[in-house]
């Protein structure tokens, strides 16, 4: 009939210009409209013809705004073809127009009750096609009855099952569970494979939401599956598809089984046999050369592998699955390579097969280089990310960086995020991390989001072992004539903080650093320029010798009169600050940034957002070696340790979430923040790293109870625990209770040191008579010279005061000094004491030496008085990287390739005191089986050996 | 000096068995829609298995046609598009294209397309694009017998064709008594 319409017109419909087509269509629409509106009642046949034409026009892409009523009228026709066109029109064109729905529902109701299977089929299809809530309300109760009624024909059962499934998907609340559910499960045993196929779809969806009610489906599904996979290819007649027995049903059954854990042993044995048979068949020669055969066979195979991964309990099957996928990785069919890469991603998450997946690394890297289809390359990137662990991180990151140079624009940002995450997560050596991120900026600067460069700054600030290297590297990178603006930002920030570390080299003298940065200034956007201005003022503090040069720049019209108000304000304020403030004030105001509190990497958060949580969750689960991460050791994080903020994007660095302030300190404006005491933010609620909470909470609880007892002795005793945290680090929170927080920041050089103690009043009430005193025992006084300045006796609510302790080590010492604090809070006298973590190892200077030197000295120090040894049980997971980090943190050099046994650690250093210098050698031998360590220290002085051994033993 | 620091990554607890709510994988993925379009970007058939507004549908169709038509012959038949996976195959001048949810079985979707083509071929006898243009309602009826709500209803070629043939018989019975006069609207 439509053909008639096309050939009936004078112009051909297809192949003519768009305008001609529209003209022709409009003419036809006008004609149909007049027929519908005409006085003469149309007979069913004409109505059908015109409704069909409307549908045709709609499918050509034109809007149809009439004819719905005529279509609904066709539904009540007794002629099959008229009814059929009516239903088709409704299915294609009606979404949920409420008035019509009532009429449509009536017609459907009649057809369902007609007991004519053809009419029932049409009605069920219409319900499934429209699938609206109104339809669910009307029919969700009726359809289960049709489904399980004994006299329903097979074809109607199939339609009813799938129709119910559709309604359950849109409105699960409207489908009542009841007696029918148990009868539906038994459809898995039905004679008719078409009924079983349709029923399995329904059961899987229902079982996922109500696993208990459909538990019995597991054994039925297994026996059905078993019958299918063992059947000869001719047994199932028309349900065999290109020599593969019932592939659709097999896949659906395997999917249903994934709703449940591995079944009981009896059933499980049978299922394992099925899975093995499927894996075996993959190795058999194909029964047909047609791609349909291999596709259907492999569809079942991939679903079986999904089930094996889901059960994650049969190492044998997992490894076989992995090998099979490994073969597919090199298959000539692109589709199979794609799916193998995808499926292996999930396989990498199983501890049984993670190693097996890793063996394919070269193939996957090769795929990245040679695949011609970006969607396949994308899968290869995902798989590399999933299989990455400490053993192959360097290789994988290098390959991803390589690929990034030519990668498709659509996936660059994601690769950048992945590289940044892997580089951070598996960094053994943070210089490698810094190099990697700078490479990222160089190769794909435009795709490096703020999160990535914020993160590298966070890490450099928090790890003082990498700061010098970072400064040197960014300085070199900035030499490039054209460098990305993101590099200028990172460079500006890092040189502003740590430029002094490379200023000794005449090639990177202060003036050269400044000129280098300033040469980029004019090419940068406003936010970057603002950041650079902050770098300049930091330079004024770091390098007084170039102060006038910087002042000249700040004073120039292009800065002071800049049209951008932010730049202008910074220039004016910085210039003023550099002119009037004394060196001391400048030093305080522009001090190095305090460490950032740890929290979830904002990059990871971004990747999760990009990819949807489930993808990343899977990948995270893979990494079962969290405890072995260098970043994984549980340490409370310093919350506040300095009194300066830089008017730079530092606030954003804290992460994505807003940080709630717990007191009412005014939010510092960007310009004012420089001079505002940021300690008013000190009680910011900072979420701690996951593992550290217990540790942190218990120590503060402990201490808070001591305050009331007013017995310093007890407090000191328990506070011994606290100083262990500071053996291998210099900054952090020493003590915290409801009233008071004490933060520390310290630096040591040879036999001298300086410690900043920050006292934060967490309440809104003043502390009166606030008197902190550092007490040294008589014995200690002769070997440790401490000088403190008194602090203001009044500490306002929410405020923070700082006290500087200058330290000089005269000779080696055992004990730690005690910090006693007394103050009045709300009329009661508070008294507490904590040990100050000034320990002998703080005066360590690392010494590098060759293996030969080491053993020569080791032998020289062999008398029993010089050696102290301790054998102890490991208190923390025994991880090589953490151990290394701790030995370096302790202060000694970590000597690689010195000990003949690579599992052992050796270190060397010199303790500097005013009177003598004491050479120290140490050796740590872990015993993984016994979870024990043996620590040996040899120094020329027994007491020193003993003390160092004592201190270091506590760390592992 | 080095300070080992707190972990930046949160590790999730391992999955618990028997608690599907915790399993991130959707085990009942659904086909969202199926499209047939020509190499010239003319839409020939559309089947939507989930509700979507007309405007949104047109936007998706336009966008997806562009993506698929831009792909080269030897490329993989699967691609990620929006939050969906698209499985497509070209038969002569027509692209058959299914949008499925991520966890669905891609290879089997490819064979679902093939089975549909076989059904069309059997019914029309070496089917071509014009058959589908001029007998679009038949193409829809065959699809409806084969798929419902995006789920395969019957994989047997025989059962599907039997159902269609029965319907055709009904049609002939319906239409046989019509006279030429009736046909011209003169009766």
């Amino acid at each position: 009939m439509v053909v008639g319409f096309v050939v009936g017109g004078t112009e051909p419909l297809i192949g003519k210009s768009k305008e001609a087509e529209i003209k022709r269509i409009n003419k036809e629409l006008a004609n149909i409209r007049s027929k519908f509106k005409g006085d003469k009642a149309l007979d069913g046949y004409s109505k059908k013809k015109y409704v069909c034409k409307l549908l045709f026009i709609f499918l050509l892409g034109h809007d149809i705004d009439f004819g719905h009523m005529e279509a609904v009228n066709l539904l009540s026709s007794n002629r099959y073809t008229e009814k059929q066109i009516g239903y088709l029109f409704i299915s294609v064109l009606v979404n949920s127009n409420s008035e019509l729905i009532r009429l449509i529902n009536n017609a459907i109701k009649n057809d369902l009750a007609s007991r004519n299977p053809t009419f029932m089929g049409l009605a069920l299809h219409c319900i499934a096609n429209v699938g609206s809530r109104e339809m669910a309300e009307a029919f969700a109760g009726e359809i289960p009855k049709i489904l399980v009624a004994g006299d329903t024909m097979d074809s109607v059962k199939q339609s009813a099952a799938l129709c119910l499934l559709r309604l359950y998907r849109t409105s699960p609340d409207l489908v009542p569970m009841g007696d029918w559910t148990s009868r539906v499960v038994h459809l898995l045993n039905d004679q008719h494979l078409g009924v079983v196929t349709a029923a399995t779809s329904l059961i899987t969806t229902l079982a996922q939401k109500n696993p208990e009610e459909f538990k019995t489906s597991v054994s039925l599904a297994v026996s059905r599956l078993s019958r299918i996979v063992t059947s000869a290819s001719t047994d199932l007649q028309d349900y065999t598809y290109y020599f593969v027995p019932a592939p659709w049903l097999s896949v659906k059954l395997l999917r249903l089984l994934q709703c449940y854990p591995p079944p009981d042993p009896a059933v499980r044995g049978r299922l394992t046999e099925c899975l093995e048979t499927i894996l075996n068949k993959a190795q058999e020669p194909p029964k047909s050369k047609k791609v349909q055969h291999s596709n259907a066979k492999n569809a079942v195979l991939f679903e079986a592998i999904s089930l094996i991964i889901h059960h994650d309990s049969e190492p044998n099957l997992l490894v076989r699955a992995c090998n099979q996928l490994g073969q597919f990785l090199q298959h000539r069919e692109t589709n199979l390579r794609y799916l193998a890469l995808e499926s292996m991603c999930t396989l990498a998450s199983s501890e049984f097969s993670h190693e097996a997946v890793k063996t394919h690394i070269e193939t996957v890297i090769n795929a990245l280089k040679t695949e011609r289809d970006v969607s396949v390359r994308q899968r290869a990137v995902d798989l590399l990310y999933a299989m990455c662990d400490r053993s192959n991180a360097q290789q994988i990151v290098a390959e991803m960086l390589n690929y990034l140079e030519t990668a498709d624009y659509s996936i660059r940002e994601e690769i950048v995020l992945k590289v940044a995450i892997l580089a951070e997560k598996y960094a053994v050596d943070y210089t490698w991390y810094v190099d990697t991120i700078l490479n990222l900026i160089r190769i794909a600067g435009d795709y490096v989001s703020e999160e990535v460069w914020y993160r590298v700054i966070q890490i450099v600030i928090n790890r003082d072992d990498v700061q010098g290297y970072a400064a040197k590297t960014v300085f070199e990178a900035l030499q490039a004539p054209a460098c990305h603006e993101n590099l200028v930002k990172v460079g500006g920030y890092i040189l502003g903080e740590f430029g002094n570390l490379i200023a000794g080299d005449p090639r990177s003298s202060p003036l050269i650093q400044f000129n280098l940065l300033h040469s980029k200034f004019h090419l940068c956007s406003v936010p970057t320029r603002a950041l650079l201005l902050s770098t300049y003022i930091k330079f004024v503090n770091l390098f007084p010798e170039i102060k006038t040069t910087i002042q000249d720049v700040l004073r120039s019209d292009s800065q002071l009169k800049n049209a951008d108000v932010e730049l202008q304000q910074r220039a004016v304020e910085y210039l003023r600050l550099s002119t009037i403030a004394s060196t001391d004030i400048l030093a305080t105001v522009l001090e190095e940034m305090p460490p950032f509190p740890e929290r979830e990497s904002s990059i990871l958060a971004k990747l999760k957002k990009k990819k949807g949580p489930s993808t990343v969750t899977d990948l995270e689960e893979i990494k079962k070696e969290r405890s072995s991460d260098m970043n994984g050791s549980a340490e409370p994080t310093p919350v506040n340790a300095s009194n300066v903020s830089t008017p730079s994007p530092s606030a954003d660095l804290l992460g994505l979430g807003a940080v709630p302030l717990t007191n009412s300190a005014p939010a510092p404006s960007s310009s004012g923040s420089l001079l505002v005491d940021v300690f008013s933010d000190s009680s910011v609620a900072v979420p701690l790293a996951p593992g550290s909470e217990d540790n942190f909470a218990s120590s503060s609880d402990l201490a808070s109870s001591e305050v009331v007892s007013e017995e310093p002795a007890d407090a000191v005793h328990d506070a011994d625990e606290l100083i262990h945290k500071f053996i291998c680090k210099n900054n952090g929170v020493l003590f915290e209770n409801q009233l008071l927080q004490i933060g520390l920041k310290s630096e040591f050089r040879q036999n001298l040191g300086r410690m900043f103690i920050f006292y934060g009043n967490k309440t809104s009430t003043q502390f009166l008579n606030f008197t902190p005193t550092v007490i040294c025992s008589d014995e200690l006084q002769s070997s440790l010279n401490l000088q403190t300045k008194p602090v203001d006796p009044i500490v306002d609510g929410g405020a923070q005061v700082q006290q500087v302790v200058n330290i000089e080590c005269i000779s080696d010492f055992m004990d730690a000094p005690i910090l006693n604090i007394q103050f009045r809070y709300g009329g009661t006298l508070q008294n507490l004491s904590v040990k100050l973590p000034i320990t002998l190892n703080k005066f360590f200077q690392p010494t590098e030496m060759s293996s030969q030197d080491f053993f020569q000295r080791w032998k020289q120090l062999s008398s029993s008085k010089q050696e102290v040894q301790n054998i102890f049980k490991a208190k923390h997971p025994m991880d090589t990287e953490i151990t290394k980090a701790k030995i370096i943190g302790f202060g000694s050099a970590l000597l690689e390739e010195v000990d003949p046994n690579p599992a052992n650690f050796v270190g060397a250093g010199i303790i500097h005191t005013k009177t003598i210098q004491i050479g120290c050698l140490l050796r740590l031998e872990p015993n993984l089986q016994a979870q024990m360590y043996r620590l040996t220290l040899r120094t020329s002085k027994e007491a020193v050996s003993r003390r160092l051994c004592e201190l270091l033993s506590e760390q592992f | 000096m080095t300070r080992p620091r707190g972990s930046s990554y949160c590790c999730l607890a391992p999955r618990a068995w028997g608690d599907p709510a915790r399993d991130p994988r959707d085990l009942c993925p659904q086909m969202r829609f199926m499209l047939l379009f020509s190499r010239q970007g003319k839409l020939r058939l559309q089947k939507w298995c989930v509700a979507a507004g007309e405007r949104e549908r047109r936007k998706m169709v336009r966008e997806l046609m562009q993506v698929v038509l831009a792909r080269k012959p030897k490329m993989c038949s699967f691609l990620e598009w929006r939050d969906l996976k698209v499985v497509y195959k070209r038969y002569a001048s027509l692209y058959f294209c299914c949008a499925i949810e991520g966890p669905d079985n891609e290879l089997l979707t490819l064979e679902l397309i093939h089975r549909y083509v076989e059904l069309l071929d059997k019914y029309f006898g070496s089917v071509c694009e014009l058959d589908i243009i001029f007998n679009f309602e038949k193409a829809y009826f065959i699809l409806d017998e084969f798929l419902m709500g995006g789920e395969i209803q019957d994989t047997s070629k025989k059962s599907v064709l039997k159902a269609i043939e029965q319907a055709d018989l009904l049609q002939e019975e319906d239409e046989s008594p019509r006279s030429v006069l009736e046909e011209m609207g003169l009766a």
Side-chain angles (χ1 to χ4, degrees), chain A residues 75 80 83-84 86-88 90-91 104-132 135-136 138-149 152-168 170 198 202, chain B residues 47-49 143-145 147-151 153:
Chain A
L75 298 184
Y80 175 74
K83 204 186 266 295
Q84 196 183 25
Y87 273 124
L88 182 59
I90 304 290
S91 304
I104 297 167
N105 281 357
N106 258 334
I108 291 175
K109 206 165 271 168
N110 291 335
D111 281 335
L112 284 183
S114 71
R115 323 215 18 103
N116 172 339
T118 322
F119 286 7
M120 286 171 90
L122 284 178
L124 288 169
H125 268 106
C126 182
I127 300 173
N129 279 329
V130 178
S132 66
M135 290 221 170
F139 303 109
E142 182 64 21
I143 296 170
K145 289 181 204 150
I146 299 175
L147 178 58
V148 298
T152 306
M153 286 189 44
D154 286 337
S155 65
V156 178
K157 266 191 205 163
Q158 286 166 263
S159 303
L162 295 179
C163 183
L164 190 57
L165 170 56
R166 174 70 205 270
L167 294 185
Y168 185 79
T170 41
L202 174 66
Chain B
K47 185 79 192 171
W48 295 82
C49 310
L143 188 59
D144 268 345
E145 281 302 326
L147 281 184
M148 186 194 251
E151 293 289 338
Q153 183 167 223

Side-chain angles (χ1 to χ4, degrees), chain B residues 54-87:
Chain B
E54 188 52 37
R55 183 182 297 243
E56 174 65 9
R57 284 181 182 185
R58 289 206 179 151
K59 194 167 158 240
M60 287 169 92
V61 168
R62 220 177 23 244
E63 204 178 297
L64 186 60
M65 282 202 294
Q66 254 175 12
V67 174
V68 172
L69 288 172
R71 289 176 65 87
K72 298 192 188 79
K74 282 277 165 189
M75 281 185 164
C76 162
S77 311
F78 321 124
L79 61 111
E80 275 177 28
W81 178 76
R82 298 196 178 187
D83 58 336
L84 299 174
K85 189 158 274 171
V86 171
V87 177

Side-chain angles (χ1 to χ4, degrees), chain A residues 345-542:
Chain A
C345 249
T346 33
L347 211 52
S349 66
S350 165
E351 57 181 315
F352 299 116
S353 49
H354 183 74
E355 288 303 315
V357 170
K358 273 167 62 185
T359 59
H360 299 288
I361 184 167
E362 296 302 335
T363 319
V364 182
I365 287 171
N366 197 39
L368 202 56
K369 290 177 180 158
T370 55
E371 284 291 350
R372 276 186 286 167
D373 186 347
V374 55
S375 23
V376 186
R377 291 195 297 267
Q378 162 97 60
R379 291 281 79 82
V381 172
D382 287 349
L383 179 54
L384 284 179
Y385 182 72
M387 67 161 69
C388 191
D389 62 19
R390 191 173 298 287
S391 71
N392 54 23
Q394 300 236 356
Q395 186 188 6
I396 286 180
V397 166
E399 291 296 345
M400 284 193 176
L401 277 174
N402 241 336
Y403 172 57
L404 192 56
E405 307 228 19
T406 54
D408 309 73
Y409 297 114
S410 54
I411 56 173
R412 281 195 181 188
E413 190 185 356
E414 198 187 312
I415 298 176
V416 167
L417 291 174
K418 285 185 167 155
V419 168
I421 289 168
L422 294 179
E424 180 187 343
K425 190 160 185 187
Y426 298 116
V428 175
D429 172 1
Y430 275 83
T431 59
W432 173 70
Y433 170 76
V434 171
D435 286 343
T436 305
I437 302 293
L438 291 182
N439 264 331
L440 271 184
I441 297 177
R442 186 179 56 76
I443 297 169
D446 286 341
Y447 299 89
V448 172
S449 57
E450 288 190 333
E451 286 85 355
V452 173
W453 77 262
Y454 287 177
R455 189 72 185 164
V456 68
I457 286 174
Q458 276 183 13
I459 285 175
V460 170
I461 297 224
N462 286 4
R463 307 190 58 93
D464 24 29
D465 54 339
V466 78
Q467 289 160 356
Y469 181 80
K472 184 165 157 284
T473 320
V474 292
F475 176 79
E476 280 162 10
L478 282 168
Q479 306 285 339
C483 49
H484 196 273
E485 189 163 335
N486 277 337
L487 182 67
V488 179
K489 289 178 185 161
V490 175
Y493 202 110
I494 287 179
L495 291 179
E497 295 293 326
F498 310 112
N500 55 328
L501 300 177
I502 56 166
D505 188 327
R507 285 165 301 176
S508 52
S509 72
L511 190 61
I512 294 176
Q513 285 185 39
F514 172 74
N515 286 336
L516 180 63
L517 283 176
H518 199 54
S519 67
K520 317 281 181 198
F521 187 91
H522 304 280
L523 301 170
C524 292
S525 65
V526 168
T528 309
R529 287 196 215 177
L531 186 147
L532 285 177
L533 288 180
S534 299
T535 303
Y536 298 167
I537 188 70
K538 287 225 156 192
F539 275 173
V540 168
N541 173 45
L542 288 180

Side-chain angles (χ1 to χ4, degrees), chain A residues 242 258 310 342 462 464, chain B residues 1 3 17 25 85 118:
Chain A
Y242 289 88
Q258 289 173 61
H310 170 78
E342 185 180 62
N462 286 4
D464 24 29
Chain B
M1 259 186 237
R3 293 182 298 267
W17 291 123
R25 210 166 102 100
K85 189 158 274 171
E118 282 183 346

Side-chain angles (χ1 to χ4, degrees), chain A residues 176-329:
Chain A
M177 294 294 136
D179 295 343
W180 62 273
T181 54
S182 58
R183 300 179 61 182
V184 164
V185 172
H186 283 279
L187 290 179
L188 288 175
N189 268 339
D190 201 281
Q191 296 276 316
H192 190 286
L193 278 191
V195 172
V196 185
T197 310
T200 311
S201 301
L202 174 66
I203 293 168
T204 306
T205 304
L206 294 172
Q208 197 177 19
K209 299 272 162 53
N210 321 282
E212 269 307 303
E213 283 201 57
F214 292 87
K215 236 174 22 192
T216 48
S217 62
V218 173
S219 58
L220 292 176
V222 171
S223 57
R224 190 94 222 188
L225 182 68
S226 168
R227 270 180 279 156
I228 295 172
V229 296
T230 53
S231 68
S233 56
T234 50
D235 287 359
L236 303 175
Q237 292 154 5
D238 208 30
Y239 288 89
T240 295
Y241 181 84
Y242 289 88
F243 303 101
V244 182
W248 276 277
L249 180 54
S250 306
V251 164
K252 282 181 191 296
L253 291 169
L254 288 164
R255 188 52 67 88
L256 169 60
L257 291 171
Q258 289 173 61
C259 295
Y260 291 93
D264 305 331
V267 182
R268 192 168 170 176
R270 201 159 174 203
L271 176 59
T272 306
E273 272 173 32
C274 289
L275 295 172
E276 277 170 349
T277 312
I278 294 171
L279 285 168
N280 291 341
K281 280 188 179 171
Q283 297 297 330
E284 288 170 10
K287 293 201 175 73
S288 154
K289 285 217 172 79
K290 288 244 164 73
V291 69
Q292 282 77 25
H293 171 69
S294 81
N295 278 352
K297 192 163 109 174
N298 291 327
V300 177
L301 176 64
F302 276 108
E303 204 60 49
I305 291 176
S306 288
L307 180 62
I308 292 169
I309 296 171
H310 170 78
H311 283 172
D312 198 11
S313 58
E314 300 269 353
N316 175 34
L317 289 177
L318 281 160
V319 171
R320 281 194 67 184
C322 185
N323 293 339
Q324 182 61 52
L325 294 177
Q327 289 181 15
F328 285 156
L329 284 182

Side-chain angles (χ1 to χ4, degrees), chain A residues 2-3 6 21 45 48 52 55-56 58-59 61-63 79-81 84 88 95 124-125 128-129 158-159 162-163 165-166 169 192 194 201 204-205 208 211 238-239 241-242 247-248 251-252 255 258-259 261 292 295 298-299 302-303 306 310-311 334-335 338-339 342 372-373 375-376 379 421 424-425 455 462-465 596 598-601 604 614 617-618 623 626 631-633 635 637-638 689-690 728-729 731 885 888-889, chain B residues 1-15 17-18 20-21 23-31 42-44 46-54 57-58 71 74-80 85 89 91 102-112 114-115 118 133-138 140-141 144-149 151-159 166-168 170-171 173-175 177-178 182-183 185:
Chain A
V2 179
V3 179
V6 173
E21 183 186 307
Y45 176 78
K48 181 188 78 173
C52 197
L55 199 49
F56 184 73
F58 172 77
L59 292 171
H62 301 270
D63 285 323
R79 288 179 189 279
Y80 175 74
T81 47
Q84 196 183 25
L88 182 59
N95 270 325
L124 288 169
H125 268 106
N129 279 329
Q158 286 166 263
S159 303
L162 295 179
C163 183
L165 170 56
R166 174 70 205 270
R169 273 177 176 154
H192 190 286
S201 301
T204 306
T205 304
Q208 197 177 19
D238 208 30
Y239 288 89
Y241 181 84
Y242 289 88
W248 276 277
V251 164
K252 282 181 191 296
R255 188 52 67 88
Q258 289 173 61
C259 295
Q292 282 77 25
N295 278 352
N298 291 327
F302 276 108
E303 204 60 49
S306 288
H310 170 78
H311 283 172
T334 315
N335 290 346
Y338 174 98
L339 293 174
E342 185 180 62
R372 276 186 286 167
D373 186 347
S375 23
V376 186
R379 291 281 79 82
I421 289 168
E424 180 187 343
K425 190 160 185 187
R455 189 72 185 164
N462 286 4
R463 307 190 58 93
D464 24 29
D465 54 339
F596 291 96
E598 278 301 338
R599 51 175 60 196
E600 184 190 44
S601 160
L604 196 61
S614 58
T617 309
D618 280 348
K623 319 296 182 195
R626 171 169 173 267
N631 305 336
S633 117
E635 288 282 329
T637 47
C728 295
K729 62 175 192 169
N731 306 329
I888 293 169
Chain B
M1 259 186 237
T2 312
R3 293 182 298 267
R5 305 193 60 88
S7 165
S8 331
Y9 300 95
C10 51
C11 225
L12 293 172
R15 282 185 309 199
W17 291 123
D23 197 326
R25 210 166 102 100
D26 180 9
L27 294 168
C28 313
Q30 194 186 354
M31 183 186 294
K42 284 267 181 203
L43 187 62
R44 295 301 177 208
Q46 47 177 330
K47 185 79 192 171
W48 295 82
C49 310
V50 290
E54 188 52 37
R57 284 181 182 185
R58 289 206 179 151
R71 289 176 65 87
K74 282 277 165 189
M75 281 185 164
C76 162
S77 311
F78 321 124
L79 61 111
E80 275 177 28
K85 189 158 274 171
K89 187 159 182 182
Y91 288 86
D104 213 340
N105 195 309
E106 296 91 345
L107 282 176
L108 212 54
T109 308
L110 208 53
E111 292 319 298
L112 181 143
H114 186 75
R115 176 51 43 114
E118 282 183 346
I133 298 172
F134 294 139
N135 301 289
F136 73 95
E137 79 282 12
K138 290 288 176 221
Y140 272 98
F141 296 148
D144 268 345
E145 281 302 326
F146 177 52
L147 281 184
M148 186 194 251
E151 293 289 338
I152 196 150
Q153 183 167 223
D154 205 321
T155 63
S156 155
K157 221 180 339 189
K158 272 189 206 147
S159 337
Q166 270 175 357
D168 280 353
L170 283 173
Q171 179 169 348
E173 283 164 22
D174 276 356
E175 288 175 2
R178 289 188 163 259
E182 262 182 322
E183 191 76 25

Side-chain angles (χ1 to χ4, degrees), chain A residues 527-749:
Chain A
T528 309
R529 287 196 215 177
L531 186 147
L532 285 177
L533 288 180
S534 299
T535 303
Y536 298 167
I537 188 70
K538 287 225 156 192
F539 275 173
V540 168
N541 173 45
L542 288 180
F543 314 124
E545 62 267 37
I546 58 166
K547 181 169 165 179
T548 50
T549 318
I550 290 172
Q551 283 175 332
D552 287 345
V553 169
L554 293 175
R555 203 178 284 123
S556 71
D557 279 357
S558 61
Q559 308 298 349
L560 276 192
K561 295 184 181 165
N562 195 298
D564 185 273
V565 70
E566 175 70 28
L567 293 180
Q568 192 188 84
Q569 191 168 11
R570 284 194 189 201
V572 172
E573 285 176 1
Y574 291 163
L575 181 60
R576 199 76 192 123
L577 179 69
S578 70
T579 323
I580 58 170
S582 71
T583 336
D584 277 355
I585 292 178
L586 270 183
T588 322
V589 171
L590 299 171
E591 210 194 336
E592 196 182 297
M593 284 295 290
F596 291 96
E598 278 301 338
R599 51 175 60 196
E600 184 190 44
S601 160
S602 49
I603 309 178
L604 196 61
K606 172 142 185 171
L607 186 68
K608 280 184 187 167
K609 224 166 89 188
K610 238 180 115 57
K611 294 282 277 182
S614 58
T615 339
V616 183
T617 309
D618 280 348
L619 294 169
E620 279 316 295
E621 265 178 71
I622 300 162
K623 319 296 182 195
K624 291 185 173 154
E625 42 169 14
R626 171 169 173 267
S627 55
S628 65
D629 269 351
M630 193 167 191
N631 305 336
S633 117
E635 288 282 329
T637 47
V639 175
N640 60 304
S642 172
N643 54 350
V644 162
S645 98
T646 322
S648 61
S650 60
D652 306 333
L653 275 168
L654 295 175
L656 292 173
V659 179
L661 297 182
T662 49
N663 62 21
S664 53
S669 70
S670 64
S671 54
S673 62
L674 189 62
L675 300 171
V676 166
D677 185 351
V678 186
F679 272 134
S680 51
D681 295 356
S682 67
S683 45
V684 160
V686 177
L688 291 164
S692 67
E693 276 169 31
D694 302 339
N695 192 349
F696 195 79
S698 62
S699 58
S700 53
D701 287 347
L702 234 169
S704 62
S705 58
E706 250 95 59
V707 176
V708 200
S709 78
E710 295 197 14
E711 277 190 43
D714 282 350
V716 173
H717 177 74
D718 288 308
D720 222 19
E721 298 291 319
L722 299 182
I723 76 168
H724 288 308
K725 296 191 315 205
F726 285 86
I727 300 292
C728 295
K729 62 175 192 169
N730 285 335
N731 306 329
V733 175
L734 177 65
F735 171 86
E736 185 164 14
N737 65 15
Q738 292 92 334
L739 307 178
L740 180 71
Q741 185 191 53
I742 305 175
L744 287 187
K745 191 171 192 220
S746 44
E747 52 196 10
F748 295 90
R749 196 162 201 172

